[in-house]
Each structure stands twice: as C-alpha cells, then as structure tokens.
Amino acid sequence: MNKYPILSKLKSPTEVQKYSLNKLESVATEIRQKIIELAKNNQIHYSSNLGVVELTVALAKSFNFEKDKIIFDIGHQSYPYKMLTNRFNDIDKIRQYKHICGFQNVFESKYDYWSAGHAGTSLAALIGYSINNKNFLCSVIGNGSLENGESFEALNNMYKNKNTIIILNDNEMSISQPTTSINLITLKNKNKSKAFFNSLGFNYLYLAEGNNISKIISSLNKAKKMCKNKPVVLHIKTKKGFGDVNASKDKIGSYHVINLNFPYKPFGEIAAEYLIKLTKKNKNIHILNPAMNIGSSFLKYQLVFPNNYHDFGISEECVVTTAAAMSLNKLTPVCVFYSTFIQRSVDQIIHDVGRMNLPVLFLIDKIGLSNDGDSHNGIYDINLIKAIPNSTITVPRNYQQLQQLIDLGIKNKKGPFFIRYPKTPYITQINTKQNKIEFGQWEYMIHKPKNKVCIVSYGPYIELIYNKIKNLNIDLINSVFVTKYDINNFKNLSKYNKIIFYEREHEGNLLFNDFCKSKFNKNQAIDVCYKGYIKHGNEKQLDIDLKMDIDSILKTI
C-alpha cells in the first residue's frame, strides 16, 4: 500500500495550484507523516519542519514556484518545500553523502533560489532579486532570524521593494526560547508589531492561525494585492513541532534536531561542567552565547549561574564587542561559538578584541565536517582568526587537555585565546603519559630516537592515529598550540627525513606553511588537509574520498 499516494506521483509543484482544499490538507498530512518517519532513522531538523508544513503547502497553492522566488531563511525548515519540488523520492537520504542537502541549495534544484545555512541572509537576498523583477519575491523568516543584525540592515533598505512579501514565521521560538526585545515585546503584541513594521515602510498583516491552510491562503492572497507598491510583512503565528505532541511542547530546543546518538559526552558538556566549577570560585567569569546554549551543552551552566550566562540570540557580532567591554570592566568573558558562526564575528574580534589586546577566551565548538555541508562545516574559522595578531589558537585531543587549556585561557592576560574542539572525541582516552600543558609547547606522543618519519597533527583524531601507528617506526607529535608555539618545535623536526603535517578540522594548511617558511625547512614536509568547499555527507566517507583517512596518510610515507 502506498503511504504517500499524492507526493509519490507529484511531477511538478505547479500541479498543487490546481488542488482543492481537501487535497491540500491531504498533502500536508503526507508531508508531516514523512517528516516523522524520517526522524526515526535520520538526524534531521525536526520541529521547525513540522511547524511550516501548512504554510509551505499554502505557498505552493498561492505562488508559481517556476517564477516566484521563495527563500527560506536559514533553510533548515525547507524539507516540505523539497518534497513539493521534485525531491520527494530522495528525501529519505537527506543530508547523506551525494544526496540532497538539508538546506536550500542553488546547485541542487532550479526551485532553490538561494543557498543559506546561516540566519538572516534571506531579506538582503530579496533586495538583490528585486532589480528588474516582475514576479513575486517571498522570504519565510523565523522570529529567531529576524533579530539577526543582517536582517535589520535589510529591513532598513527594503522599503522600495515591490512584489515582495516577508512571511514572519512566528513560533515564539528560536532554537530554544528567544531572549531579545524584538521577540519579548514587539512580536507578542500585534499592535506594536504593526507599528514597528509600518514605521519601516511595510504594509502589515497578521494571522493567528498559522497552521490552517485555508486561512494562510487567504492571507497570502491579501498580501499579493498589497505588495504592488511596497513590501508586505505577513506575521503568521505557527506552532513549532506541530503534529508531534512532545515536539510542540518543547520550550528548550530538544526537538530542534533529534536522533543525536553520540558514544561519548560532547566536549562542550565537559567545558560547561568545568566552567561551573571555576565560576563557583570566580564569580567574574561570564559566559556569552549567541542562541546556541543547547547545542553547545551550556544549558546546565545557564541554570546554575543565570546571572553569569548571557544568551544574545543570533547576534554573533554583539557577543564579541560585549565581551571586549567586559574584559575592560575587569571581568573574565568566555564566548561560546559554533565554528561556522564565529566566522560572522571576525571583524569584531579584530576591531574590538585584537586591537586592544584584550584577554577574551573563545570556545569554538563543532569544528570539522558536518552533515549539513559547506554552510556548516567547521573548517573555515581558523584561517580567519590565525590572521589576527596576538591570537592564540589551541586544539585539545581529549577532555583532560580541554580543561588544561581552559585554565590557560582564563589565566591569559593578553590577546584573544581560542580553544577549538569537535562535537565529540573519537575515543575517550588512550594509554599514553599525559603531562601538564605548558604554554606554546607541543606534546610528543610517540618519540623514538631512531625514527626518521614523523606525523604532526592535533585534535581528537590524533588518538586514532596513535592507535594505528603505535607499533610502527613513526613518531607522533600533538601540536596543541597552532599559533604562539615555541619555534624550537620546528627545530626539533629538522632531524626527520619526512614530516607529514596532518592538519585536520580546518581548510588549508597552517603549520605546514609556517614550517616551509622557517629556516629549519629541508623540503621534507608533506601536507594533508581539507581544501575548498566540502559538500555534506558522512565524515568517514568524505575522508576516504578526500584521502584524509588514516590509511591514505600512511600511503604517503
């Protein structure tokens, strides 16, 4: 029996424009059923997609997807849109290697008019599309994304746009509960919300029943008539997780992404637990986080020290500048970022932290490859921050080193101090002697006098390398400090006939370049690293294809 009789036979989204209301509701039922089914075997963005099912079906009824451009801000909630735009048959393998992406992607479908992944880009994109435009332009943006700085910049420049509709998908949530005044004050009062958008030059419509297909269609038709001369904000109240009782009741973000099965504790959880211990002794420690308290494992810290924890919403730049001022105010700020999001705050790190040589500690979570692909791969931040003068970049290989580096970062008195780590380690602990980390020093994990080959690497993956080569005639050095390292570490490398710089969890080579420029270089070095933009997929499979796996490394020796 075909569980999806309509979706499985849908050949084009334009067919949906002819559907009756009853059939549209059947389509919504099939989409919701499929999302719930997907979550059983896949790590997916769950509650956000459940919440926009009816809205997406109504968009397909009201707009011509061949001509009208629909952009989902961030794009993680575009699964229903993908099912309606000729990708239903591949949806079971979403976010898997060589299959469809978890976000809209211009390289994937003619119906994807934008590639996002980070919040706040859709409104500016509509401005770019508005030039010489005769069709409808539409952004679906959540209240969590609306508070983003780029969204506000775009709102200030969109008043001339015609045929433009901003659908404010207001589910009273970001990833977890929103914290900013735009959410807590304006959006909770439709009169204040109307006054706010009217003052910026927008027409304004409000719909309280954002999971009712018929009423959404009616509101969309009104918006289409009203946007002929100036843009329209259609403020729709939806229910995140609609259709799943537990997901719809979730107020902390547990159902934002589900099916997260990790073998070990996340590094972020270890960091949070250790900082709770430190904060009990030092109340000057303050944690600053841009809306990622759940994903970064800092919810427990927030509950224990609510006055020392600051959730800024999706406002990465503001986090850094605030931290800089905290540092000048004799406090000890610790900024917690995902690797992919700290990219957005590089100007503030340079301008507000680096220039004043302020000792701000940055914890950079989720380095390495992501199933979400090039928009979320945590491999691009390090080249940006390495260029910042006086910056210290470190990478622990396990929990113990993470705690030691946090100690060094807290004690640091000059310049930004970065600790980068992936979500989880690869193994919990290996049986090697582990000394206390000294500032700038590397760790010699395998060091035999007669060995003439050496691998230099860092991060948790080095423990897998250790287990692979511990019985071979190869030395192994853990370059815990990627910058501010003792130059004598390079001098010690000059004795080897061959050196492999295996630089994982970032794009391009760093230590290899430094070594090649040093006076100790004897042209015996080889670099192994990620290069360019890497698509979504399973990390292990990507490593094999990119020749970044351990066996490929050993073939270079």
Side-chain angles (χ1 to χ4, degrees):
M1 181 179 175
N2 188 352
K3 293 189 293 184
Y4 305 101
I6 304 175
L7 290 176
S8 62
K9 297 177 181 178
L10 184 66
K11 296 180 180 179
S12 168
T14 56
E15 294 177 16
V16 180
Q17 293 179 284
K18 302 175 184 177
Y19 288 177
S20 65
L21 179 60
N22 285 340
K23 192 167 184 179
L24 291 173
E25 290 174 343
S26 296
V27 171
T29 299
E30 288 189 20
I31 292 174
R32 179 164 283 108
Q33 180 181 338
K34 189 62 179 180
I35 293 169
I36 293 172
E37 180 183 292
L38 282 175
K40 294 177 182 177
N41 300 306
N42 299 276
Q43 181 184 318
I44 67 168
H45 288 97
Y46 185 60
S47 57
S48 54
N49 280 291
L50 289 177
V52 299
V53 171
E54 286 78 16
L55 171 57
T56 308
V57 172
L59 286 169
K61 173 68 174 179
S62 304
F63 293 95
N64 183 343
F65 287 177
E66 301 281 348
K67 299 177 181 179
D68 302 321
K69 295 174 175 59
I70 313 297
I71 298 176
F72 289 84
D73 200 274
I74 303 178
H76 64 297
Q77 75 287 51
S78 62
Y79 292 26
Y81 182 80
K82 287 174 182 274
M83 293 187 208
L84 294 174
T85 52
N86 301 349
R87 284 167 281 184
F88 176 76
N89 291 331
D90 202 26
I91 202 73
D92 284 319
K93 296 180 180 178
I94 194 166
R95 301 177 81 231
Q96 294 183 22
Y97 187 53
K98 294 186 177 180
H99 291 276
I100 60 177
C101 178
F103 300 87
Q104 285 183 297
N105 188 327
V106 295
F107 299 109
E108 181 179 291
S109 170
K110 69 177 183 178
Y111 298 108
D112 288 357
Y113 297 101
W114 188 247
S115 294
H118 290 182
T121 65
S122 67
L123 303 187
L126 293 191
I127 298 175
Y129 269 124
S130 68
I131 310 301
N132 300 323
N133 171 64
K134 295 181 180 179
N135 300 305
F136 290 108
L137 305 175
C138 183
S139 163
V140 179
I141 184 168
N143 44 312
S145 289
L146 187 70
E147 67 194 24
N148 178 269
E150 188 175 0
S151 293
F152 272 86
E153 292 172 11
L155 287 174
N156 279 321
N157 289 279
M158 294 185 74
Y159 61 94
K160 295 180 182 178
N161 274 34
K162 298 178 181 179
N163 298 324
T164 298
I165 301 170
I166 298 173
I167 298 177
L168 176 51
N169 174 34
D170 182 4
N171 53 32
E172 298 185 348
M173 292 281 284
S174 181
I175 289 177
S176 51
Q177 286 188 317
T179 60
T180 64
S181 60
I182 188 69
N183 278 288
L184 298 178
I185 301 173
T186 306
L187 298 189
K188 284 187 176 295
N189 185 313
K190 71 175 183 179
N191 291 325
K192 289 183 178 180
S193 186
K194 180 179 180 179
F196 172 74
F197 287 111
N198 284 168
S199 71
L200 292 173
F202 293 84
N203 284 318
Y204 178 85
L205 291 171
Y206 179 82
L207 176 62
E209 298 169 88
N211 291 100
N212 182 306
I213 294 176
S214 175
K215 292 188 177 182
I216 299 172
I217 293 172
S218 177
S219 294
L220 287 173
N221 287 334
K222 289 180 183 177
K224 287 164 68 175
K225 293 177 182 178
M226 293 173 65
C227 72
K228 296 298 182 181
N229 296 314
K230 62 179 179 178
V232 173
V233 170
L234 173 54
H235 184 173
I236 296 181
K237 300 286 285 188
T238 59
K239 188 73 173 177
K240 195 171 186 179
F242 187 72
D244 182 313
V245 174
N246 292 323
S248 63
K249 291 180 179 179
D250 174 31
K251 296 300 180 185
I252 64 171
S254 300
Y255 286 81
H256 176 66
V257 176
I258 63 172
N259 197 27
L260 298 173
N261 297 311
F262 296 108
Y264 315 117
K265 275 188 175 183
F267 270 103
E269 187 172 340
I270 300 300
E273 290 172 351
Y274 193 60
L275 281 160
I276 288 173
K277 179 180 176 181
L278 295 180
T279 308
K280 287 179 180 178
K281 300 175 182 178
N282 178 5
K283 295 299 192 297
N284 282 333
I285 293 174
H286 285 257
I287 308 298
L288 298 86
N289 189 310
M292 296 296 153
N293 58 332
I294 301 295
S296 297
S297 304
F298 269 77
L299 178 60
K300 184 177 179 181
Y301 185 101
Q302 182 182 19
L303 296 174
V304 176
F305 292 108
N307 294 328
N308 291 63
Y309 186 88
H310 310 274
D311 183 348
F312 283 73
I314 306 174
S315 305
E316 294 86 358
E317 301 93 333
C318 185
V319 167
V320 175
T321 302
T322 301
M326 280 185 174
S327 180
L328 289 170
N329 197 26
K330 309 303 180 186
L331 300 174
T332 304
V334 181
C335 299
V336 182
F337 282 94
Y338 284 13
S339 166
T340 187
F341 298 138
I342 199 171
Q343 298 165 186
R344 302 172 70 131
S345 61
V346 170
D347 179 41
Q348 284 67 40
I349 299 173
I350 294 171
H351 186 271
D352 300 331
V353 178
R355 280 193 315 133
M356 290 183 276
N357 210 21
L358 298 174
V360 177
L361 174 58
F362 292 87
L363 303 183
I364 305 181
D365 196 355
K366 291 185 173 58
I367 65 171
L369 300 185
S370 164
N371 280 351
D372 286 324
D374 52 16
S375 69
H376 277 62
N377 283 334
I379 61 176
Y380 304 109
D381 64 279
I382 194 167
N383 281 302
L384 298 171
I385 59 181
K386 186 177 187 291
I388 301 171
N390 298 322
S391 60
T392 302
I393 303 173
T394 65
V395 189
R397 67 174 169 90
N398 56 27
Y399 301 148
Q400 185 178 343
Q401 283 193 349
L402 171 62
Q403 292 172 341
Q404 290 185 30
L405 289 171
I406 289 174
D407 284 335
L408 287 176
I410 294 292
K411 294 174 183 176
N412 174 53
K413 299 302 179 185
K414 291 184 179 180
F417 193 105
F418 300 88
I419 305 174
R420 304 177 75 246
Y421 48 82
K423 176 78 175 178
T424 59
Y426 293 91
I427 56 179
T428 52
Q429 185 73 48
I430 58 175
N431 188 24
T432 61
K433 182 180 179 182
Q434 188 163 308
N435 297 319
K436 185 177 180 180
I437 297 174
E438 299 293 337
F439 193 97
Q441 296 303 312
W442 291 354
E443 178 189 19
Y444 288 75
M445 296 175 65
I446 302 175
H447 194 210
K448 301 174 183 177
K450 294 183 179 181
N451 285 351
K452 294 299 181 182
V453 177
C454 179
I455 295 175
V456 180
S457 190
Y458 42 84
Y461 200 82
I462 201 170
E463 300 198 346
L464 292 183
I465 298 174
Y466 174 87
N467 280 342
K468 189 78 172 182
I469 70 170
K470 61 186 177 183
N471 297 319
L472 304 176
N473 295 322
I474 303 171
D475 279 357
L476 181 63
I477 297 175
N478 175 23
S479 51
V480 184
F481 284 79
V482 183
T483 62
K484 293 290 189 70
Y485 48 79
D486 187 338
I487 195 63
N488 285 321
N489 288 306
F490 278 173
K491 182 179 180 180
N492 295 336
L493 292 177
S494 62
K495 73 167 190 173
Y496 295 103
N497 293 333
K498 182 175 285 188
I499 309 158
I500 295 91
F501 285 93
Y502 178 58
E503 303 193 62
R504 194 180 174 80
E505 322 294 17
H506 68 80
E507 193 276 339
N509 43 53
L510 298 178
L511 291 177
F512 171 79
N513 279 347
D514 288 353
F515 182 71
C516 290
K517 294 174 183 176
S518 76
K519 62 181 179 181
F520 306 111
N521 176 32
K522 293 184 178 179
N523 297 317
Q524 75 274 51
I526 298 172
D527 72 301
V528 181
C529 61
Y530 295 123
K531 294 180 180 178
Y533 291 103
I534 299 170
K535 301 302 179 184
H536 62 278
N538 177 270
E539 181 184 34
K540 186 175 291 187
Q541 183 60 54
L542 285 168
D543 277 346
I544 293 171
D545 273 20
L546 297 169
K547 300 190 184 304
M548 285 287 291
D549 59 302
I550 301 174
D551 291 333
S552 295
I553 298 167
L554 294 179
K555 288 178 183 178
T556 66
I557 299 174

